[in-house]
Amino acid sequence: MLKKIQEWRGKETSKSSLTKEELLKHPIPKHIAVIMDGNGRWAKKRALPRIAGHHEGMKTVRKITKAANGLGVKVLTMYAFSTENWKRPKLEVDFLMKLPEEFLGTFLPELIEENVQVRLMGNKSDLPEHTLRAVEGAMEKTKNNTGLILNFALNYGGRDEILRAVKNVAIDLQNNTITTEQLSEEVFSEYLFSNQLPDPDLLIRTSGEIRLSNFMLWQLAYAEFYFTDVLWPDFEELHLYEAINSFQQRGRRFGGI
Ligand code: FPP
């Protein structure tokens, strides 16, 4: 078991020499979901305020988006703010809610050049107007792009998402828009925020925490999990390559043998 956990946690301390060309010889995960954890600890180690860690984490989002797009990953879902993160101090919440504006204000031209499409997943109604405006503006400007989908999970919670889906299914059953016979896993998936996206093949969580924290509970049913001790602001292209390399070495059976 210990050996297995060490495998799941990745071999991030090794200075591997993985190259893009090497990775491209094997299937690349279509959808990678990331729990970007460890910004606060990164800042603390440098005696900086926590928000400095989030700001550095924002730069990592740009770096990893470019790297994933370069490998042909189709969807990159980033857990940027959970439904539980409102419990943080107001200053930190306010800062996190301003980050999408800063990120898109700075990097949108580059994302457009790279054919990236921006999307949003989560409960929009509680987001500040300025946050929503920035993300929806970027969604509009990138809606016809055909490269990587950069999907921000903002004010996202897996349970909240499932509960909403159940409520909407109940409404549609009452209206006779659908019947219980028609309700399959595929149809139910259409009621989730992630509708039209494939399920993640690979989940990466940084900073050494080994839990899901209410992230994509339905969609991660068959994903491969990769945990690394690297803190999100320190996560480099090579760490992404190591995660994908680990994914490529696993035998995915989807319940078969
Ligand atoms: C968890 O680390 C991280 C978050 C709650 C926020 C993640 C957000 C970013 C990386 C920036 C997102 C960028 C854009 C463009 C929206 P933590 O603060 O819990 O770290 P800790 O566990 O070390 O305290």
Side-chain angles (χ1 to χ4, degrees), residues 89-139:
K90 185 175 178 326
L91 184 131
E92 185 171 342
V93 169
D94 289 349
F95 187 84
L96 284 168
M97 286 297 154
K98 284 194 191 118
L99 274 186
E101 275 162 283
E102 182 176 344
F103 176 80
L104 295 164
T106 315
F107 303 124
L108 188 60
E110 198 176 300
L111 297 176
I112 291 175
E113 207 169 292
E114 292 187 19
N115 200 19
V116 168
Q117 189 187 124
V118 176
R119 287 209 204 170
L120 173 63
M121 178 174 92
N123 180 358
K124 290 186 198 176
S125 59
D126 295 329
L127 288 175
E129 214 207 301
H130 62 91
T131 312
L132 198 55
R133 206 180 325 119
V135 182
E136 288 190 330
M139 286 167 69

Side-chain angles (χ1 to χ4, degrees), residues 35-44 50 53-62 78-82 85 88 92 96 98-104 107 135 150 152-154 205-207 209 211 231-233:
I35 304 179
M36 307 181 282
D37 200 3
N39 296 344
R41 275 162 285 166
W42 182 93
K44 193 170 176 203
R50 291 178 54 81
H54 295 314
H55 196 260
E56 202 59 28
M58 178 192 76
K59 296 186 200 159
T60 306
V61 173
R62 174 206 181 194
M78 306 301 238
Y79 205 6
F81 194 91
S82 75
N85 286 152
R88 295 187 176 209
E92 185 171 342
L96 284 168
K98 284 194 191 118
L99 274 186
E101 275 162 283
E102 182 176 344
F103 176 80
L104 295 164
F107 303 124
V135 182
L150 176 57
F152 284 111
L154 264 182
R205 182 169 190 152
T206 58
S207 91
E209 308 296 346
R211 55 177 176 267
L231 305 176
W232 178 249

Side-chain angles (χ1 to χ4, degrees), residues 26-32 72-75 201-202 243-244 247-248:
H26 307 281
I28 297 289
K30 284 194 183 64
H31 184 170
I32 303 180
V73 172
K74 300 281 176 242
V75 188
D201 307 291
L202 172 63
I244 294 176
F247 167 86
Q248 290 176 332

Side-chain angles (χ1 to χ4, degrees), residues 169-235:
V169 166
I171 292 170
D172 283 354
L173 285 170
Q174 237 163 12
N175 295 335
N176 295 318
T177 315
I178 55 162
T179 64
T180 38
E181 290 70 34
Q182 284 168 337
L183 189 60
S184 60
E185 290 185 10
E186 286 70 31
V187 171
F188 186 76
S189 297
E190 289 298 309
Y191 285 82
L192 299 173
F193 290 131
S194 59
N195 62 10
Q196 294 165 4
L197 295 179
D199 286 344
D201 307 291
L202 172 63
L203 168 82
I204 299 174
R205 182 169 190 152
T206 58
S207 91
E209 308 296 346
I210 304 187
R211 55 177 176 267
L212 274 184
S213 301
N214 201 14
F215 191 44
M216 302 190 86
L217 300 179
W218 171 277
Q219 299 89 336
L220 289 170
Y222 286 103
E224 296 294 332
F225 289 5
Y226 182 86
F227 299 101
T228 169
D229 289 339
V230 177
L231 305 176
W232 178 249
D234 291 329
F235 196 80

